């Protein structure tokens, strides 16, 4: 599989930034295909890749993967030599999946609801997968304060995904600027791959993007 063509479908104003960072961490060659909202993203050619008409998505040989968390997990396993995921028999495999999908589930839902101004009524908290926004923030803050990275001294795809969510969330106000979050983000965002990925996507932004 490492010899198969790796194609990355994205837009610089999307969660594709997460996958771009992951790809830069891998250091493997890939072809980026830029899509526009409402036009090429909804064209039949791309809908054959992702019927949702959303980015990011990747195609690795004949394998198509959508959803940023799934893409990060897939890529880490597809290129094990890069050490971005614990091996299947490693005891850290459990915490790795735990935090990767904690961010894809409870964190994503809680932050999105906050962005929409939706507050879960106390009597409905048991219906929500994340319970309360405060609980999600407390649990995640504790996780990022346990070590250098989510798996202690081992940087992984989980740090790419969680770190990106924290960075975006604090930037746009959907995640509180807690000291633990800021210290963790300062560490992971200083990685050379994170800096390269940000520069690539920033250079692709429309000239008037900062004015909207």
């Amino acid at each position: 599989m490492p010899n198969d063509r790796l194609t990355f479908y994205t837009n610089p104003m999307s969660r594709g930034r997460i996958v771009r960072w992951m790809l830069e961490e891998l250091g493997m060659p890939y072809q980026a295909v830029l899509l526009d909202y409402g036009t090429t993203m909804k064209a039949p050619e791309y809908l054959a890749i992702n019927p949702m008409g959303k980015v990011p998505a990747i195609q690795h040989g004949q394998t198509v993967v959508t959803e940023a968390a799934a893409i990060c997990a897939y890529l880490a396993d597809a290129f094990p030599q890069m050490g971005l995921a614990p091996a299947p028999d490693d005891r850290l495999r459990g915490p790795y999946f735990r935090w990767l999908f904690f961010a894809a589930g409870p964190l994503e839902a809680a932050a999105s609801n906050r962005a929409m101004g939706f507050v879960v009524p106390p009597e409905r908290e048991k219906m929500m997968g994340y319970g309360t926004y405060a609980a999600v923030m407390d649990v995640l803050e504790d996780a990022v304060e346990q070590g250098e990275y989510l798996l202690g001294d081992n940087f992984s795809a989980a740090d790419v995904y969680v770190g990106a969510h924290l960075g975006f969330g604090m930037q746009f106000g959907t995640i509180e600027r807690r000291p633990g979050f800021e210290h963790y983000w300062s560490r992971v965002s200083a990685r050379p791959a994170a800096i390269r990925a940000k520069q690539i996507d920033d250079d692709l932004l429309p000239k008037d993007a900062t004015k909207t």
Side-chain angles (χ1 to χ4, degrees):
M1 289 188 72
N3 295 324
D4 289 339
R5 178 189 294 274
L6 185 56
T7 305
F8 168 44
Y9 301 91
T10 189
N11 181 287
M13 299 177 70
S14 76
R15 289 171 176 81
R17 282 178 171 259
I18 303 173
V19 174
R20 173 86 71 180
W21 178 6
M22 181 66 189
L23 288 165
E24 290 299 316
E25 290 284 354
L26 289 175
M28 297 295 175
Y30 64 91
Q31 176 188 9
V33 178
L34 301 181
L35 301 174
D36 293 322
Y37 290 98
T39 56
T40 51
M41 213 176 288
K42 303 300 183 183
E45 294 79 7
Y46 183 64
L47 292 177
I49 298 293
N50 185 0
M52 290 289 289
K54 296 175 68 68
V55 292
I58 64 165
Q59 186 165 9
H60 186 203
Q62 298 302 310
T63 301
V64 172
V65 189
T66 67
E67 315 314 316
I71 295 171
C72 288
Y74 172 86
L75 289 172
D77 283 349
F79 300 95
Q81 69 273 27
M82 305 313 298
L84 291 171
D89 59 350
D90 191 318
R91 64 178 181 80
L92 292 176
R93 186 79 165 180
Y96 165 73
F97 279 127
R98 176 188 182 183
W99 297 118
L100 184 62
F101 293 104
F102 181 86
L107 179 59
E108 173 86 16
S112 294
N113 280 345
R114 182 180 177 90
M116 297 295 108
F118 176 68
V119 178
V120 181
E123 68 274 12
R124 297 294 182 90
E125 289 172 0
K126 293 181 180 179
M127 298 178 62
M128 305 302 292
Y130 64 85
T132 67
Y133 175 86
V136 171
M137 296 298 110
D138 290 344
V139 169
L140 189 57
E141 183 178 32
D142 183 66
V144 300
E145 290 183 328
Q146 294 301 308
E148 189 75 6
Y149 304 116
L150 289 166
L151 303 183
D153 294 332
N154 303 307
F155 181 85
S156 72
D159 292 295
V160 173
Y161 192 73
V162 173
H165 270 284
L166 286 177
F168 296 152
M170 289 190 293
Q171 179 181 356
F172 295 108
T174 60
I175 292 177
E176 299 169 353
R177 286 188 172 274
R178 296 187 178 190
F181 295 159
E182 292 186 317
H183 294 158
Y184 173 75
W185 173 239
S186 70
R187 291 194 296 274
V188 298
S189 64
R191 292 178 63 83
I195 294 171
R196 284 197 308 274
K198 182 179 185 302
Q199 188 62 60
I200 292 169
D201 278 322
D202 284 352
D203 288 345
L204 293 171
L205 288 171
K207 299 302 182 183
D208 60 348
T210 58
K211 300 177 183 178
T212 58

